[in-house]
Amino acid sequence: MAYKIRITDKILHFKQPAGTSRGVYTTRHSYYLHIADDTRHGVEGVGECATLPDLSCDAVPEYEQILREACKAFEITGKIDYEALHPYPSILFGLESALAMLEADGSERLFDTPFARGEEGIPINGLVWMGTFEEMSARIDEKLAQGFHCVKLKIGAIDFAREIALIEKIRGRYSKEQIELRVDANGGFTPADALDKLRILAQYGIHSIEQPIKQRQWKEMARLCRESPLPIALDEELIGVNIPEMKADLLDTIRPAYIILKPSLHGGIHGCEEWIRMAKERGIGSWITSALESNVGLNAIAHFAAKEYGPNITMPQGLGTGLLFTDNIDMPIEIKGDKLWCLKNS
């Protein structure tokens, strides 16, 4: 079997600036791999490769060259070289998802699941970006009005007391049984002040907090996980940890309550499968989120989540990013209420 890969790219534009503790994104540069083989005339699989500046371990100046070399190697061997591509998870994810779509005879429904058949939706959280108090308050109201029962707040950009005031506003209207609240600090706290802030947040029935302090501080993060009254989830901490022995060391040392997996950051589909298995063996929970991909990447991540956690997924996943861009790419997925659905008739 002979493979051929065609590469295209696109600059995507955010409808509103996407603020994190590392800065604000207004555009996103994505590459698309179009894979065909000589046994399926007119059929191709499409996968997305994209990095996040200042976050992805593979956000390097020579990214496009490395991507093209990886695609050439795949064309020659017909196999994904996981060992060589460990440092480039976004390229792994693009190749894996494009190949999965090709093997599904070009269907966007990558795997046979109730989600892919349009029989059940995947529960998702509503994402509220960092902003001013007024902006975040309005965004919270919008997510609640849309019917979300799990809301994730990006915190760390405005004064902590004002962020607590936002949380108080929600809890004044909705109990933790009515609305699940997750917060993501993106490493915005310091080891010195983190525990005090976690104790304050715990008073409001928060489900969990992502990455309270910056990554690569295993001793301090392990201490927080032991002492925090609030469950801690690791996200950025997993970036660049691609070898099984390193993964085991991280999980055994820090012992988080949860890990949050983004295929384009955390080793592609194969790498995330490995993380999920190793976490489960240690009694650590997990869920999957997108990393601000276009709908091409989001669709692949959703079908992977459905295969990995379904059927009847109850844990909200972070898959509500399909409405972020003014110029997104059409795919047969749609948010209805607080669930992501695969459209039947498309």
Side-chain angles (χ1 to χ4, degrees), residues 101-322:
M101 184 173 171
L102 180 65
E103 291 175 348
D105 289 326
S107 171
E108 296 93 346
R109 297 161 180 79
L110 305 188
F111 312 108
D112 183 21
T113 63
F115 170 73
R117 297 191 294 271
E119 297 168 2
E120 63 183 38
I122 299 174
I124 60 175
N125 61 251
L127 178 60
V128 175
W129 287 102
M130 289 179 176
T132 66
F133 180 92
E134 292 75 17
E135 288 170 342
M136 293 183 72
S137 181
R139 291 167 190 167
I140 290 168
D141 289 340
E142 180 184 5
K143 294 301 178 186
L144 298 179
Q146 289 170 351
F148 283 94
H149 295 91
C150 176
V151 176
K152 173 180 166 179
L153 305 178
K154 293 274 189 179
I155 63 174
I158 62 177
D159 181 76
F160 183 68
R162 289 172 71 77
E163 290 170 338
I164 291 298
L166 280 168
I167 293 170
E168 282 183 340
K169 175 182 175 182
I170 300 174
R171 280 291 174 249
R173 292 165 54 188
Y174 302 97
S175 68
K176 66 179 183 179
E177 288 75 27
Q178 293 172 303
I179 296 292
E180 178 179 290
L181 284 180
R182 300 173 178 175
V183 295
D184 183 0
N186 283 127
F189 300 164
T190 68
D193 69 14
L195 190 57
D196 287 339
K197 290 182 175 180
L198 294 176
R199 286 169 175 156
I200 293 170
L201 286 164
Q203 300 173 26
Y204 298 96
I206 305 295
H207 172 271
S208 56
I209 181 168
E210 296 180 32
Q211 204 68 42
I213 62 174
K214 286 183 170 58
Q215 64 266 45
R216 306 296 180 263
Q217 301 179 85
W218 287 17
K219 182 179 178 181
E220 293 295 339
M221 188 69 86
R223 177 183 63 84
L224 288 177
C225 288
R226 287 195 309 270
E227 299 179 8
S228 172
L230 182 61
I232 291 175
L234 302 184
D235 181 356
E236 290 95 332
E237 197 72 64
L238 312 180
I239 295 173
V241 181
N242 299 312
I243 309 302
E245 292 77 13
M246 291 176 63
K247 294 178 180 180
D249 192 20
L250 182 149
L251 295 174
D252 290 337
T253 300
I254 298 179
R255 288 285 172 178
Y258 301 100
I259 58 173
I260 301 167
L261 297 164
K262 299 177 173 69
S264 63
L265 295 180
H266 300 136
I269 291 174
H270 175 77
C272 286
E273 288 173 337
E274 195 169 66
W275 273 117
I276 291 167
R277 175 182 56 78
M278 297 178 74
K280 190 178 296 183
E281 290 169 355
R282 291 161 173 79
I284 296 169
S286 66
W287 65 87
I288 292 172
T289 83
S290 67
L292 309 184
E293 292 88 357
S294 74
N295 280 338
V296 173
L298 176 61
N299 178 77
I301 295 168
H303 284 280
F304 168 53
K307 178 175 76 74
E308 195 66 31
Y309 295 130
N312 303 315
I313 299 174
T314 57
M315 172 79 80
Q317 309 292 303
L319 304 176
T321 56

